[in-house]
Amino acid sequence: QSTTLMSMLTIAFISTGLITLAGGISVLLGINLGTSGGMWLLAAAGQNISLSPWAMPLLVLGILAGFREPRGKAVGRLIFGIAFIFMGIEQMKSGFAGLGGSLDFTGQIVSGYLGQLLFVAIGMALTAMLMSSHATLMLTLAALAAGQIELWQGMALAIGGNVGSSVTTAIVGWLGGNRGGQRLVLVHVLFNLSVGIITLLLLSPLAWLCQWLMQWFAAGDNPLLQLALFQTLFNLIGVGLFWPWH
């Protein structure tokens, strides 16, 4: 659930000669698509399903797995991570719900490209601080579920989060990678920046398309699932653009 971590690992693989640049680009495209899976999980949970009851049993299972051989300890750490993610989601949902009307951007910020650019900038800033576009998307989903932001604002935040992740990766990867790793960093930046510009220009049509497609699954009034679909379309557009050229 971290494009930054996986991108840095791929840069390290290229720098040590384990994979070629073309292979690294293919991995990068898969990384971007893979983040959509976690987005669907979080969106499906939404405000209607509490994940905290699952967290404590998972923590106990992680402790028990840690008493076994090294492989069991590794599985235990994995289970711990999932449990903490569930607890974090629940806490963020509770936090945004507790803010109530004190944090409400719906109808208070001008729409159009100026408002969209503002939320893209906020998404980039959040990702730069948190060093994780997935964390930014989790906050966006929590705010959207609590009614603090509108769907188009959440989509703009998602665009900013994706672009911001490539910028943070570029800074670290450019300093720590060799020539091949630096080229992959450039591809990562071009991927998110170009797709970000395209989706920002087509934000209104894409928002309508997400709502229309989700109506087929009786979820046309669920903004969380529509945002997850938008994130998936974002990455599919990028893969469609870059796959023929990689």
Side-chain angles (χ1 to χ4, degrees):
Q1 299 301 326
S2 175
T3 55
T4 302
L5 173 61
M6 292 304 301
S7 299
M8 295 307 302
L9 288 175
T10 308
I11 292 171
F13 291 156
I14 292 178
S15 299
T16 55
L18 292 177
I19 58 176
T20 63
L21 177 60
I25 294 175
S26 298
V27 172
L28 181 65
L29 297 179
I31 290 170
N32 284 276
L33 280 177
T35 58
S36 302
M39 188 72 169
W40 281 101
L41 173 64
L42 299 176
Q47 289 291 93
N48 302 318
I49 301 176
S50 177
L51 297 176
S52 58
W54 293 91
M56 294 308 298
L58 286 175
L59 288 174
V60 174
L61 184 60
I63 293 174
L64 294 177
F67 289 112
R68 304 188 63 183
E69 68 277 3
R71 182 175 297 180
K73 292 181 179 179
V75 174
R77 289 194 296 268
L78 176 63
I79 296 174
F80 268 128
I82 296 173
F84 287 135
I85 288 175
F86 284 0
M87 295 175 65
I89 294 170
E90 191 66 26
Q91 291 301 314
M92 284 188 291
K93 285 163 51 179
S94 301
F96 276 100
L99 287 173
S102 62
L103 182 63
D104 188 359
F105 292 108
T106 58
Q108 298 184 11
I109 294 181
V110 62
S111 58
Y113 284 121
L114 183 60
Q116 294 169 6
L117 286 173
L118 175 61
F119 276 92
V120 169
I122 294 174
M124 292 179 64
L126 282 173
T127 304
M129 290 187 295
L130 299 173
M131 296 296 292
S132 172
S133 60
H134 194 72
T136 301
L137 292 173
M138 284 172 32
L139 289 173
T140 302
L141 282 171
L144 187 60
Q148 313 294 343
I149 60 175
E150 298 179 16
L151 179 59
W152 70 267
Q153 295 169 339
M155 290 179 174
L157 285 170
I159 294 173
N162 285 292
V163 176
S165 68
S166 63
V167 174
T168 55
T169 303
I171 295 174
V172 180
W174 193 267
L175 296 175
N178 63 2
R179 184 65 60 87
Q182 292 171 352
R183 289 174 178 171
L184 183 66
V185 166
L186 180 60
V187 172
H188 193 193
V189 173
L190 290 175
F191 178 95
N192 286 297
L193 187 59
S194 59
V195 181
I197 293 174
I198 293 173
T199 52
L200 182 61
L201 293 175
L202 300 176
L203 187 58
S204 295
L206 285 174
W208 175 87
L209 178 62
C210 291
Q211 184 177 15
W212 180 78
L213 289 175
M214 291 311 299
Q215 286 178 350
W216 290 90
F217 300 96
D221 58 346
N222 190 322
L224 303 183
L225 293 178
Q226 292 176 39
L227 183 59
L229 178 59
F230 174 80
Q231 173 72 7
T232 304
L233 291 176
F234 181 99
N235 290 308
L236 285 175
I237 291 172
V239 172
L241 287 175
F242 278 77
W243 181 260
W245 303 97
H246 90 287

